[in-house]
Amino acid sequence: MKSPTYFIYARKSTDDEERQQLSIPAQLDELKSFAQKEGLTIIDTLIESKTAKVPGRELFNGMIERINNGESQGILAWHPDRLARNAVDAGQIVHLLDTNKLVDLKFPTFWFQNTPQGLFMLSIAFGQSKYYVDALSVNTKRGLRQKVRLGWMPAQAPRGYLNERLSKTIVKDPKEWKQIKLLFEYYSQGTHTFSDASDFLSKNNFKSSYGNNLKIDAVKSILKNPFYCGLFWYSKELHPGKHEPIISKKLYDTVQEVLTLRSRPQTKVKIPKPFTGLIRCGECGMMITSEVQKGYLYYRCTKKSKTHDCQQPFIREEKLLEQINSHINQVSLRTDWADKMLAKLNKEKDDISQSVMVASKELKGELSGISKKINFLLDSFLDQTISREDYLLKKSQLISKKKTLEEKLLALSRRPYDWLERMRDWIVSALRADKIASDNKNLFQKREFLIKCGSNLTLKDKTVDCDLPDHWAALRAARQVGTWVPRVRVELTSGVFQTSAVTTLATSAMCAGMGSNHRPHVYKTCALTTELPALNIHELYQIKWTYRELNPACRQAGRIFKFLKWTRGESNP
């Protein structure tokens, strides 16, 4: 029988020349000595630097194909784990042995014969090899996770740091860490590009391993790396590190903001136009728009009217802003007025709370009585004291009444303070008007205030006119007079209640705060008269009851006159 020929197959697990650099020469020397000693015929030597954990080794697959083609009938290797560490490659070897395409395997460190016992031992060796690499992977990952938990990145340190091999830690590179810090400080200014940063590093003797300037991608990678501020990524998760940071977290965040801004597409800077769409033309009624001319913002009529040829001129934003500030300032509420009004609202809230408790108690009592009646009605029906028709009729009436009372109780618990909150919101808004008028940086705040006031702004002949709702207009009139509640003229003529501006402020504000739709029958914003003496509180109360009789719809008249009484500082009659 002709002696088989052999392939020498030597393999190491990595293509890194620094690792296992003696593995291949040592294997080849041992295998050649073994072949010479055993008298084996070698037709080719195959050297491969690739892991056998997964299938896909090019030289190994080529060797298997050549064996299938009959070029050789044997393989000489150092150990079965050099041939296969996965089930696919191990299965190919066993299959070739079963089909006699592969006659023999030779190992200096493992006994093998092409017999059932030899194949069994070979399968065990392949299984042990696979188990070893699987267990090694699990143990290695466990060790890496433990290292991460201890605060050390289980990888090569980036530039600016060095891996300390003895202590298995990471320390600063004394030659490069200062340049890294200077790079972050330089780029955080927000005025430099990546090319500028690369040139900056080159001037500070920080170059690539080939002595050239760093590429843009390398600079970007350094600037994005959180390792320099004391953090590091591992398995797509950010971890705190124990290494000494080169820069502060604040400086790192600043650089990230600059990077984010530079990564966005460059867009044209938009000039804010806060009063566009807020004002109407006083001539044609169209909206006022804005446009930039020679670096200045002008407001003008859109002139879109199809029935009127508008001739209104432009107006500079600065001139328009002066008039808007004036209108806002006119509806500001004095601090002493606001303090008195808020104190009064707090007292009203306490009074309402007591009233609500009493009313709720009464409603709950009625509900309890209805529930007892329904139970008594059911007992009477079960005892056949009343007929089914009478029972159903009476029950439906009681259920309907109960539902009505429940809704009243619910409304009482939800809405007793609605008018107080609206009134408080009005006071706070009016109190902030001075500050809003004086702040010329946040122009959109002025726009929001004017919208909240419900103002109707018109622009005609470069003059802004502001039409306000009653309570704001009354406040403006009171500001013009400059007093809280001076002498007041009150007349009753044909059932019509006429009052001066400050009295209207009280009535309008209170009605607006209470959510009432009532407005004084005659309202005119004018200067207060001082010809007649001020009414005392007894006269005010007398007019209050007369006004109630003449105007039943104004249910809150009592509160209005209490409000007036409080503003005058008089006690109850």
Side-chain angles (χ1 to χ4, degrees):
M1 181 177 179
K2 185 179 178 181
S3 300
T5 57
Y6 292 85
F7 286 118
I8 289 180
Y9 182 80
R11 182 187 64 81
K12 64 176 181 176
S13 299
T14 176
D15 54 2
D16 187 357
E17 296 298 333
E18 295 183 359
R19 299 178 62 187
Q20 301 186 16
Q21 57 183 353
L22 299 179
S23 176
I24 293 297
Q27 291 183 52
L28 292 177
D29 290 343
E30 292 289 337
L31 293 175
K32 288 178 180 179
S33 297
F34 183 81
Q36 186 177 6
K37 180 180 179 180
E38 297 291 329
L40 305 178
T41 304
I42 307 298
I43 64 171
D44 199 0
T45 300
L46 304 176
I47 302 173
E48 193 162 36
S49 299
K50 196 169 184 179
T51 179
K53 182 180 179 181
V54 294
R57 288 171 289 160
E58 291 82 1
L59 292 180
F60 177 81
N61 291 337
M63 181 180 66
I64 295 298
E65 185 176 356
R66 292 170 69 179
I67 291 174
N68 277 319
N69 294 333
E71 291 187 30
S72 178
Q73 299 81 37
I75 301 175
L76 174 60
W78 175 252
H79 190 273
D81 62 8
R82 299 296 91 191
L83 295 177
R85 287 187 183 274
N86 65 83
V88 174
D89 293 341
Q92 291 189 73
I93 298 293
V94 174
H95 178 70
L96 290 175
L97 290 171
D98 289 340
T99 57
N100 290 324
K101 291 183 178 181
L102 186 62
V103 177
D104 192 17
L105 296 175
K106 293 292 185 180
F107 306 102
T109 58
F110 184 83
W111 171 86
F112 172 77
Q113 284 185 348
N114 194 359
T115 61
Q117 293 82 2
L119 291 173
F120 175 70
M121 296 301 297
L122 181 65
S123 298
I124 292 177
F126 282 146
Q128 287 178 335
S129 300
K130 186 177 185 310
Y131 167 75
Y132 171 80
V133 73
D134 291 343
L136 179 65
S137 175
V138 172
N139 294 333
T140 302
K141 289 179 180 179
R142 184 183 66 241
L144 294 178
R145 289 195 298 268
Q146 179 62 21
K147 192 172 183 179
V148 169
R149 283 192 288 268
L150 293 176
W152 300 106
M153 185 177 68
Q156 184 178 0
R159 293 196 64 173
Y161 286 93
L162 295 174
N163 292 93
E164 183 64 42
R165 296 186 179 276
L166 296 178
S167 60
K168 304 296 182 182
T169 58
I170 299 176
V171 297
K172 285 183 179 179
D173 186 347
K175 297 180 180 180
E176 294 187 345
W177 75 267
K178 292 182 179 179
Q179 290 91 321
I180 294 291
K181 184 177 182 179
L182 291 174
L183 171 65
F184 276 89
E185 293 174 349
Y186 176 79
Y187 194 80
S188 66
Q189 299 173 12
T191 58
H192 307 291
T193 63
F194 292 122
S195 298
D196 296 338
S198 179
D199 294 338
F200 176 80
L201 287 175
S202 179
K203 293 178 182 178
N204 286 275
N205 298 321
F206 191 98
K207 298 183 178 182
S208 68
S209 56
Y210 297 100
N212 302 321
N213 287 8
L214 289 183
K215 300 293 184 181
I216 290 178
D217 289 341
V219 175
K220 189 185 298 185
S221 176
I222 292 175
L223 293 173
K224 286 186 175 181
N225 195 344
F227 192 86
Y228 298 106
C229 70
L231 305 172
F232 65 89
W233 288 100
Y234 180 76
S235 296
K236 299 181 180 181
E237 186 177 351
L238 196 62
H239 300 273
K242 282 190 176 182
H243 60 278
E244 184 180 356
I246 292 178
I247 60 173
S248 65
K249 182 64 166 55
K250 183 178 180 180
L251 178 58
Y252 175 79
D253 291 338
T254 302
V255 171
Q256 302 316 301
E257 291 176 3
V258 174
L259 289 172
T260 303
L261 291 175
R262 286 191 170 275
S263 64
R264 295 175 182 172
Q266 297 295 324
T267 57
K268 188 177 180 180
V269 178
K270 294 184 178 180
I271 298 177
K273 302 174 181 179
F275 305 120
T276 300
L278 180 65
I279 310 172
R280 286 192 176 272
C281 177
E283 181 178 335
C284 65
M286 294 294 104
M287 297 303 298
I288 297 297
T289 185
S290 61
E291 61 181 64
V292 179
Q293 294 290 344
K294 297 181 179 180
Y296 296 98
L297 186 62
Y298 289 85
Y299 286 86
R300 62 169 179 84
C301 177
T302 55
K303 300 182 180 181
K304 291 185 178 181
S305 176
K306 297 180 180 179
T307 59
H308 183 80
D309 184 17
C310 185
Q311 299 297 326
Q312 289 298 310
F314 288 75
I315 181 173
R316 279 270 296 271
E317 184 183 47
E318 292 80 3
K319 299 294 183 181
L320 181 68
L321 184 59
E322 290 178 5
Q323 299 183 54
I324 288 177
N325 287 339
S326 176
H327 285 295
I328 294 176
N329 192 57
Q330 288 175 8
V331 295
S332 62
L333 187 63
R334 283 170 37 179
T335 305
D336 54 337
W337 294 6
D339 293 341
K340 291 180 181 180
M341 296 173 78
L342 291 174
K344 178 63 176 176
L345 289 180
N346 293 333
K347 186 175 183 304
E348 284 282 348
K349 186 174 182 179
D350 295 337
D351 295 341
I352 291 174
S353 298
Q354 296 179 2
S355 302
V356 168
M357 289 178 61
V358 174
S360 299
K361 187 175 181 180
E362 292 178 357
L363 289 175
K364 289 178 181 179
E366 293 184 29
L367 285 171
S368 178
I370 291 176
S371 298
K372 291 179 180 179
K373 289 181 180 180
I374 292 175
N375 292 332
F376 180 75
L377 185 65
L378 178 60
D379 293 338
S380 300
F381 174 68
L382 294 176
D383 294 339
Q384 297 182 354
T385 306
I386 59 175
S387 63
R388 176 178 175 81
E389 292 77 11
D390 293 338
Y391 166 73
L392 294 176
L393 177 62
K394 191 64 178 176
K395 180 183 178 183
S396 62
Q397 294 175 354
L398 292 173
I399 292 296
S400 177
K401 187 176 180 181
K402 182 180 179 181
K403 182 63 176 177
T404 302
L405 292 175
E406 287 176 346
E407 289 182 353
K408 287 183 178 180
L409 183 61
L410 183 62
L412 189 64
S413 63
R414 287 181 177 178
R415 302 179 57 187
Y417 308 111
D418 285 358
W419 74 271
L420 285 173
E421 295 304 323
R422 287 194 292 270
M423 183 67 179
R424 189 184 303 277
D425 181 64
W426 176 79
I427 295 172
V428 172
S429 299
L431 191 60
R432 293 178 60 244
D434 273 335
K435 184 182 294 185
I436 293 174
S438 60
D439 184 9
N440 287 330
K441 293 183 178 180
N442 189 356
L443 301 185
F444 285 94
Q445 184 178 223
K446 302 178 189 291
R447 177 190 178 95
E448 293 173 2
F449 180 81
L450 291 171
I451 293 175
K452 187 175 182 179
C453 290
S455 58
N456 183 18
L457 298 174
T458 55
L459 177 63
K460 186 176 182 181
D461 298 329
K462 297 187 177 182
T463 302
V464 178
D465 183 45
C466 183
D467 185 17
L468 294 169
D470 290 348
H471 49 293
W472 289 101
L475 178 57
R476 177 171 60 185
R479 291 279 300 184
Q480 292 171 356
V481 174
T483 183
W484 179 224
V485 181
R487 298 175 183 270
V488 180
R489 180 175 68 193
V490 181
E491 297 179 0
L492 283 171
T493 305
S494 301
V496 177
F497 177 68
Q498 298 184 1
T499 178
S500 62
V502 178
T503 306
T504 306
L505 164 65
T507 56
S508 299
M510 290 297 288
C511 288
M514 293 179 287
S516 171
N517 291 325
H518 175 72
R519 292 290 183 273
H521 287 71
V522 177
Y523 170 74
K524 184 178 181 182
T525 304
C526 59
L528 294 177
T529 60
T530 57
E531 296 133 6
L532 296 178
L535 297 174
N536 59 39
I537 194 63
H538 300 279
E539 294 170 324
L540 284 175
Y541 266 79
Q542 185 177 0
I543 293 175
K544 174 187 72 173
W545 291 111
T546 306
Y547 186 45
R548 269 187 172 178
E549 294 172 2
L550 295 174
N551 301 275
C554 186
R555 300 176 182 176
Q556 305 297 343
R559 286 199 180 97
I560 295 172
F561 280 90
K562 287 182 181 179
F563 183 80
L564 286 173
K565 167 196 164 184
W566 164 67
T567 62
R568 294 168 63 89
E570 299 183 16
S571 58
N572 287 324

